[in-house]
């Protein structure tokens, strides 16, 4: 067997595989001999079928199968030994008429080669890394939510601005009949809230659904309708009041602190605020890190320039999926996936250049911490090492889960690399301001 490669250009090559008779003849002969022992052909006793008849009936199929196996094994070995970084899979060049009676065979494969490039993390343009803080307004709002959650309901005769109102939305034509508890701040317009203030149990209020709530999700929940139906819905509904309550806020005392955090963990309102601030900012770090990861990814894709073997990749996409694609579909698919492919190559380069590795011990350790955190949510605060090891082993026996954890750890290590080496400017702001700046003022 002989394998040669011709580089068409820096991104494309053709591999030629010559297979001689001696490469496959012994294997084919052995398989046919084994067939002869088990062949069941009318007129002949088992094991006594003439070899010529076995070759005539099975020889071509066995030959084709063995040559294809030999070809794939040889090609894979060649790519590994030559350390060729290929994109997609080798594409066989079409051969309309293979003469399977010949002594040897020649096959050619097109290769798409990964480009060579450098990644510059510390570019001229600084990337913002957000330091999100929990400000006093947010902490006070959280404390009020806690007081409401642990407070008690007191019945009221009439609706006030801060009442919790239970009632039923109805519309016969649309078959709407849904009981909800609402507060007046959920409505979009002040005029709607005014219709409720002063109302009593048994009163029925007529409302129009257009512009009733601040967004479609609120309307979906209130009327128990689907998103498509809620979007642009413009009908009259009635709301029959069945219950009016006012929620008295819970006292900020030791009993409440112990319910929230465990006995004597928090002992004052000052400590409560500090604890809320600490817990909130831990969550903010995750959001800020994800934003930084997204922004660096976007920056690298936009600013790391290299060519791809586009024609080869589009051709490969035509046969790579479950359903074959025509050339136009393959072009469209490539355009949709090009950005992702470019980042995969950039990420691979960064991992190699910076020797980023994830060991099995890293994966086990991460799985243990993940399991420990989940158990803590259910009150199991001190699991034994054996418990953690046993559960981790069960989790990691699922290859998909093990791969997911490995990818998470790689992302974490890349994030650490970005924080260390990228051109980053830190911006401190409240969570409210972060949401406005990043997602728009909604």
């Amino acid at each position: 067997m002989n394998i040669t490669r011709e580089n068409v250009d820096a991104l494309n090559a053709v591999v030629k595989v010559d297979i001689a008779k001696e490469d496959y003849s012994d294997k084919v002969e052995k398989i046919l001999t084994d067939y002869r022992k088990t062949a069941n052909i009318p007129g002949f006793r088992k094991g006594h079928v003439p070899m010529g008849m076995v070759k005539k009936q099975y020889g071509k199929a066995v030959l084709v199968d063995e040559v294809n196996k030999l070809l794939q094994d040889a090609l894979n070995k060649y790519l590994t030994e030559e350390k060729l970084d290929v994109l997609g899979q080798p594409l066989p060049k079409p051969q309309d008429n293979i003469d399977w009676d010949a002594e040897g065979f020649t096959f050619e494969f097109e290769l798409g080669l990964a480009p060579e490039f450098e990644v510059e993390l510390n570019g001229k343009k600084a990337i913002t890394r957000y330091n999100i803080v929990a400000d006093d307004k947010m902490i006070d709002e959280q404390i009020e939510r806690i007081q409401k959650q642990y407070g008690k309901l007191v019945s009221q005769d009439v609706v006030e601005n801060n009442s919790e109102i239970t009632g039923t939305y109805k519309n016969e034509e649309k078959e709407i009949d849904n009981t909800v508890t609402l507060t007046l701040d959920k409505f979009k317009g002040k005029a709607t809230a005014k219709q409720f203030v002063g109302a009593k149990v048994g009163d029925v209020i007529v409302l129009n659904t257009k512009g009733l709530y601040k967004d479609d999700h609120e309307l979906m929940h209130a009327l128990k309708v689907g998103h498509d139906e809620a979007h642009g819905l413009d009908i009259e509904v009635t709301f029959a009041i069945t219950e009016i309550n006012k929620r008295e806020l819970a006292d900020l005392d030791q009993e409440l602190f112990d319910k929230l955090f465990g006995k004597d963990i928090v002992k004052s309102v000052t400590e409560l605020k500090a604890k809320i601030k600490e817990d909130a900012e831990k969550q903010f770090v995750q959001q800020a890190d994800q934003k930084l990861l997204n922004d660096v990814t976007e920056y690298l894709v936009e600013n790391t320039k290299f060519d791809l073997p586009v024609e080869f990749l589009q051709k490969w996409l035509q046969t790579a999926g479950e359903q074959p694609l025509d050339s136009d579909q393959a072009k469209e698919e490539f355009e949709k996936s090009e950005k992702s492919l470019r980042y995969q190559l950039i990420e691979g380069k960064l991992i190699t250049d910076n020797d980023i590795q994830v060991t099995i011990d890293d994966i086990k350790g991460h799985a243990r911490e993940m399991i420990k955190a989940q158990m803590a949510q259910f009150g199991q605060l001190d699991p034994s090492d054996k418990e953690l090891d046993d559960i981790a082993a069960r989790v990691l026996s699922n290859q998909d889960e093990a791969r997911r954890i490995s990818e998470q750890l790689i992302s974490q290590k890349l994030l650490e690399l970005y924080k260390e080496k990228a051109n980053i400017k830190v911006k401190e702001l409240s969570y409210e301001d972060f949401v406005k700046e990043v997602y728009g003022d909604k």
Side-chain angles (χ1 to χ4, degrees), residues 399-410:
Q399 291 186 351
D400 289 340
E401 188 64 21
R403 183 171 58 252
R404 187 184 67 81
I405 291 173
S406 177
E407 289 171 353
Q408 283 182 346
L409 290 172
I410 288 287

Side-chain angles (χ1 to χ4, degrees), residues 30 65 69 114-117 126-127 135 169 171 177 192 268 311 316 359 364 416 420:
K30 181 180 183 307
D65 190 45
K69 286 181 185 176
E116 293 186 4
F117 59 92
I127 300 168
D135 59 6
Y169 279 111
N171 177 287
D177 188 347
T192 303
S268 67
E311 187 176 337
W316 171 69
T359 67
K364 286 179 180 176
E416 290 165 10
E420 178 187 349

Side-chain angles (χ1 to χ4, degrees), residues 243-369:
E243 192 176 339
I244 306 168
N245 294 297
K246 180 179 181 179
R247 189 171 291 273
E248 284 190 354
L249 301 182
D251 292 331
L252 295 175
D253 55 18
Q254 194 60 48
E255 183 182 354
L256 178 61
F257 301 155
D258 290 347
K259 280 181 185 177
L260 292 171
F261 304 108
K263 186 166 177 57
D264 293 337
I265 301 295
V266 169
K267 296 182 179 179
S268 67
V269 173
T270 301
E271 289 182 13
L272 172 65
K273 289 183 176 182
K275 181 66 173 169
I276 290 172
K277 182 178 176 67
E278 178 189 355
D279 291 348
E281 289 179 355
K282 281 181 184 177
Q283 296 298 317
F284 297 160
V285 168
Q286 295 178 11
Q287 283 186 266
D289 281 351
Q290 187 60 55
K291 173 63 178 166
L292 178 62
L293 197 60
N294 294 344
D295 288 347
V296 175
T297 298
E298 193 73 26
Y299 170 82
L300 290 174
V301 171
E302 292 297 323
N303 292 277
T304 307
K305 304 299 182 184
F306 53 82
D307 293 326
L308 291 169
V310 175
E311 187 176 337
F312 168 84
L313 288 169
Q314 289 179 1
K315 191 187 296 184
W316 171 69
L317 284 169
Q318 289 184 255
T319 57
E322 293 182 6
Q323 299 294 329
L325 306 177
D326 62 31
S327 58
D328 288 339
Q329 290 172 323
K331 182 180 179 181
E332 183 181 349
E333 184 63 27
F334 173 76
E335 289 171 353
K336 286 193 291 187
S337 60
E338 181 181 2
K339 202 171 187 178
S340 174
L341 172 59
R342 286 183 177 277
Y343 183 67
Q344 286 176 26
L345 292 170
I346 293 167
E347 186 182 79
K349 176 76 171 168
L350 287 169
I351 289 169
T352 301
D353 288 353
N354 295 278
D355 194 27
I356 293 174
Q357 299 178 23
V358 171
T359 67
I360 187 64
D361 287 339
D362 292 334
I363 294 172
K364 286 179 180 176
H366 186 81
R368 279 172 54 97
E369 290 304 312

